Every structure is written in structure tokens, then in C-alpha cells.
Amino acid sequence: MTALEPRDADVSPLIEATDGTGPLDQTDHTGPASPEGILGRTYRALSIGIVSVVFLIAFEATAVGTAMPVAARELHGVPLYAFAFSAYFTTSLFAMVLSGQWADRRGPLAPLATGISAFAAGLLLSGTAGSMWMFIAGRAVQGLGGGLVIVALYVVISRAYPEHLRPGILAAFAASWVIPSVVGPLASGSVTEHLGWRWVFIGIPVLVVFPLALALPEIRRMASGPADPAAPVEPYDRRRIALALGISVGAGLLQYAGQERNWFSLLPAAAGVALLVPAIRGLLPPGTARAARGLPAVVLLRGVGAGSFIAAESFVPLMLVTERGVSPTLAGLSLAAGGGTWALGSYVQSRPRMEPHRERLMVGGMVLVAAAIAAAPAVLVHSVPVWTVAVAWAFGCFGMGVVIASTSVLLLKLSAPEEAGANSAALQISDGLSNVLLLAAGGAAFAALGGGTVDAAHEAVRATTAASHPAAFAMVFLPMAAVALAGAWVAGRVRTS
């Protein structure tokens, strides 16, 4: 599960551009409110099509996470395990900014179709990879597609649906994560055990055909072209695109340097920092790094919460497979309950009576996240039941549902209308960048402590380790728990007074 995907029904009640040029057109395109719902005759095909796209993204996220430990082991790439996750986030950072500008100027049809095609191509590339680096390249192509798709979908909603129907379609986006959270690990684990991990990646692109066939004609009819065909087309903001590219390349260089761990790696590390610093300064609100009260703290909290949780979650299946001999199916299912509790947390924070207590609710949510991450490595002690992870992760996902939804609500509350687009872009960048950087740090620590030494001779799905390396996993989870706990302090600064 990733924070970059449309999992939260409260993330975009006011759909905005992620290229920082300002909020998208939010006028009601259909005149007076219609009794039709999102599944009425006018919107039925479009709603089913775009929700199917989100369902596909959700299914891919849960299924691939289950198959990843076996893929990394068979490709002799367990030391690069974190890179296989962060490559997706790295390229999606750039693609989101590009997609926002592309959709604003030319309409969402082209970036959405291109994104879905790239997403499918990346899956095929990973599924046919003969080496771990080729596998990672496929994940990077997937990230480009995912970044294009997520922004284009929000533009579609902004243009095609009247304002009173937008909460309904966004709630459907959030609900579309629940079933994949349960079915994805089960299906992926079964395929991995009986047919091999490659079929998980190769099989998913078949699912692309249905959403494309259903949604694209409706998007062409209801949301194609620029928002105002009579207005002159604005040129692309090359500076923001360059800054987004700088963030993606800089984050990738830092990750590479962390994996290499030698004197020569200082060169790409220095180059990565040189690219990241000006890009972050140009794309995030002033004061974000020091958690200044109000909007900067909200943006920072989104990154701290999402990054620490996703970095830890990425290693849960690998830990269960390699340290406890759990099958990929059961390892994936250990995270399944999180989809439901995440949605529950989002629902709880949306209740009107919770509004006066939002700050304390966010602090409590981050404490739950920190406790869940800290509890996960307890299963490294073999007397601790494996189901402990499932219970801990259910509570952690509840906390994340509260925090992620609340950061979106507060961002819009603290943003002037003309600043909503730029601030929303900053929130997404903080989210994605923190995922990359914390995965890089966790992956480097994991590899440095010998976490990549897996028994390649054991060809059964139930992998074991040639020499157990619990410290490698502990050095991923415990620092991430500390980061999440720091997020509880940041959550106390989201109010301006």
C-alpha cells in the first residue's frame, strides 16, 4: 500500500492541479444539481471505468508486495530490495508534475492513456527481467505510469462530475482499496507458489484492457481537451518540471549511493544532495524543514507519516518469508486487515464531532503508527506468534487513515483558493520524496548488516536464511518507529495557534 495512490476519500474533496499552477476549474459543469448519482446513466460507464483503474493500482500494490520477496531472492537481488520499491516513487514524483501540466493544457485523456500503458509496460518489464537491475527498471517505468495516472484521474473528476457528486466518486476510490487488500495477497501468493512470481507481474496487465475500453471513450466525451478551448494554451512551466526532475534524479542518486556503500559512492551522493536541496526549497513551503506551525508542519507531517510507514511496510513480507518461513500468501495477508482499518481511520476523522479534536487525533494516530512499526520486529523472536504483525499493522493503518486524511483536510483549510494547487503539489511531493529517502536509508542499513544473505539453494517458496540476520530487519523498523514518533511532535504543530 502506498500513500501516492488514491486510497483516501478525503484527499481531494477539492480537486487541484499538482503542477502548482493553481486549482483546477471546480465549477459545476452540469448546471443545477441532478438527482443522478455516480452510477446514474450519465456517469455509470465513466465511474466504473475510473474506479476500475484505481482498483487495478490497488491490486498491483498489494499483489506485487506479496511476490516481491521471492522475486528478489530468485534474481539474487535481496540487497537491492528497497530499491525495487523506491524506484516506483522516484519516477512518479516527476510524472505527477508533468501530468498536472499536461492535463491542464491538453486535457486528461492523453496522460491517462499514456500512464496506463506505461504502467502495464513496467509490469511486463519486471515480469520478464533476468536481473534485479532490470526488475528495478521495470518498477521505475511503472512509477512513471502511476504518476501520470493519479493526477489525470483527479482532473477527470474535476471536469466530468458536478461538485455534489465528487465526494461520492472519491469515496468509491477509497473503497476500491479494501477488496484488493484481502484478495491481492491471497491471489498473488497462490500464483507465486504454484506458477511463479513472474506470472504476478505478467498477468496484471491483462486487467488494463477493461478500464481502458470502458473509461477512455467516456473521458473523450466528457473531459477531453483544455478546460477552456477558447483560451490561449499556457506554456509549460519548465522551471517546475526541472525542479521535479531534480527531485527524482537526486533521490535516485542518493538511493544508489546508499546501496553501494563505498568511497566512490560519495560522488553520486553529493550530486544527489546538490539536486535535491534547491528542488525542495523551490517546491515545498518555507519553514517545512523546521516544522513551522501551520501549513509547513502539515506538509512535513505528511512526509514523515507516509515515509516511515511505507518504508517499514515494504519489509514486512520479506521479514516473514525469510525469518519465519511463512509462505508469500500468508506474508501478504498479514497486511490485509490494514485496508479496512485505514478506511475506518479516514471515516473516523471525517465525523463533524471530531473536528475540534483533530490535532490530538493526529498525534494519537502517529503514536499508533510508531507503536505498530516498533512492534513488527518482535516476530524476529520465534516464540512470538506471527499473527502479531497482522494485529500491529491493523492498528498502524488505522492511525495512518486518520493522519493522511487529516493532513489533506488541514492543507485545504490553511490554503487560500489561489494557493490550493501549489500547496497540494507540495503535499504530494513531501509524501513521495519521504518514501524514497526513508526507503533508501532503510535499504542501506538492511544491506550493510547482511540482510541480503538469503539461502539461494532453498528453491521452495518457503525461503529460509543461510544465517539469520534479525539485526538487519531491526535496523529498518526501529529507526522508522523513531521517525514516526517524531511525527507525533510535528502533529502538535499543525495548528497555527
Side-chain angles (χ1 to χ4, degrees), residues 111-215:
L112 181 62
T114 303
I116 293 177
S117 300
F119 192 80
L123 282 165
L124 291 173
L125 184 58
S126 291
T128 57
S131 68
M132 191 62 177
W133 281 114
M134 185 61 69
F135 182 89
I136 290 169
R139 293 287 293 165
V141 174
Q142 275 184 260
L144 285 171
L148 290 172
V149 167
I150 183 60
V151 175
L153 282 177
Y154 288 152
V155 177
V156 169
I157 294 175
S158 175
R159 295 191 182 182
Y161 291 86
E163 187 171 353
H164 71 282
L165 290 183
R166 291 173 191 163
I169 190 65
L170 289 166
F173 276 18
S176 67
W177 272 87
V178 177
I179 294 176
S181 296
V182 178
V183 176
L186 183 61
S188 175
S190 298
V191 171
T192 299
E193 292 182 35
H194 295 99
L195 298 177
W197 65 268
R198 293 183 185 276
W199 287 102
V200 175
F201 291 85
I202 295 172
I204 291 176
V206 177
L207 303 177
V208 170
V209 176
F210 174 74
L212 277 177
L214 199 58

Side-chain angles (χ1 to χ4, degrees), residues 79-88 90 132-133 136 139 251-257 259 439 443:
L80 299 174
Y81 184 77
F83 225 151
F85 284 95
S86 63
Y88 182 102
T90 300
M132 191 62 177
W133 281 114
I136 290 169
R139 293 287 293 165
L253 287 172
L254 280 180
Q255 171 103 28
Y256 176 79
Q259 293 291 146
L439 273 167

Side-chain angles (χ1 to χ4, degrees), residues 103 106-115 152 156 215-217 219-221 223-225:
R106 303 294 180 184
L109 183 63
L112 181 62
T114 303
V156 169
L216 293 187
I219 294 172
R220 183 179 290 108
R221 180 174 66 88
S224 62

Side-chain angles (χ1 to χ4, degrees), residues 128-490:
T128 57
S131 68
M132 191 62 177
W133 281 114
M134 185 61 69
F135 182 89
I136 290 169
R139 293 287 293 165
V141 174
Q142 275 184 260
L144 285 171
L148 290 172
V149 167
I150 183 60
V151 175
L153 282 177
Y154 288 152
V155 177
V156 169
I157 294 175
S158 175
R159 295 191 182 182
Y161 291 86
E163 187 171 353
H164 71 282
L165 290 183
R166 291 173 191 163
I169 190 65
L170 289 166
F173 276 18
S176 67
W177 272 87
V178 177
I179 294 176
S181 296
V182 178
V183 176
L186 183 61
S188 175
S190 298
V191 171
T192 299
E193 292 182 35
H194 295 99
L195 298 177
W197 65 268
R198 293 183 185 276
W199 287 102
V200 175
F201 291 85
I202 295 172
I204 291 176
V206 177
L207 303 177
V208 170
V209 176
F210 174 74
L212 277 177
L214 199 58
L216 293 187
E218 295 300 312
I219 294 172
R220 183 179 290 108
R221 180 174 66 88
M222 302 175 69
S224 62
D228 184 359
V233 177
E234 294 289 332
Y236 285 87
D237 187 341
R238 295 183 179 180
R239 176 179 174 273
R240 284 193 70 82
I241 292 176
L243 289 175
L245 183 61
I247 277 188
S248 292
V249 175
L253 287 172
L254 280 180
Q255 171 103 28
Y256 176 79
Q259 293 291 146
E260 290 300 306
R261 305 185 317 278
N262 56 46
W263 288 108
F264 293 104
S265 67
L266 292 177
L267 292 176
V273 171
L275 288 170
L276 277 176
V277 170
I280 292 173
R281 288 172 62 89
L283 295 173
L284 299 186
T288 299
R290 55 185 175 83
R293 283 195 173 274
L295 181 65
V298 171
V299 172
L300 179 62
L301 178 61
R302 179 62 165 258
V304 169
S308 59
F309 188 79
I310 297 302
E313 184 179 65
S314 300
F315 281 85
V316 169
L318 183 68
M319 177 175 66
L320 294 178
V321 169
T322 60
E323 294 294 322
R324 294 298 299 265
V326 173
S327 71
T329 304
L330 291 178
L333 284 173
S334 68
L335 307 177
T341 57
W342 187 302
L344 179 61
S346 178
Y347 171 80
V348 167
Q349 66 79 38
S350 70
R351 298 299 86 197
R353 64 177 177 272
M354 293 295 180
E355 182 58 35
H357 312 291
R358 184 173 298 280
E359 182 178 331
R360 281 180 289 177
L361 200 62
M362 296 170 74
V363 172
M366 286 308 304
V367 170
L368 280 178
V369 172
I373 297 173
V379 298
L380 293 169
V381 179
H382 282 243
S383 59
V384 175
V386 170
W387 52 259
T388 302
V389 171
V391 174
W393 227 248
F395 281 99
C397 283
F398 178 86
M400 284 297 291
V402 169
V403 172
I404 296 299
S406 292
T407 55
S408 299
V409 171
L410 284 177
L411 177 102
L412 294 170
K413 184 176 181 179
L414 296 172
S415 299
E418 66 274 9
E419 297 173 342
N423 291 342
S424 297
L427 194 74
Q428 294 291 337
I429 289 168
S430 176
D431 187 318
L433 180 61
S434 66
N435 287 336
V436 174
L437 295 182
L438 291 177
L439 273 167
F446 178 75
L449 290 174
T453 308
V454 176
D455 184 5
H458 195 298
E459 294 299 332
V461 173
R462 291 177 178 271
T464 59
T465 52
S468 183
H469 296 286
F473 286 101
M475 283 304 295
V476 172
F477 288 97
L478 297 182
M480 296 308 157
V483 172
L485 195 59
W489 173 78
V490 177

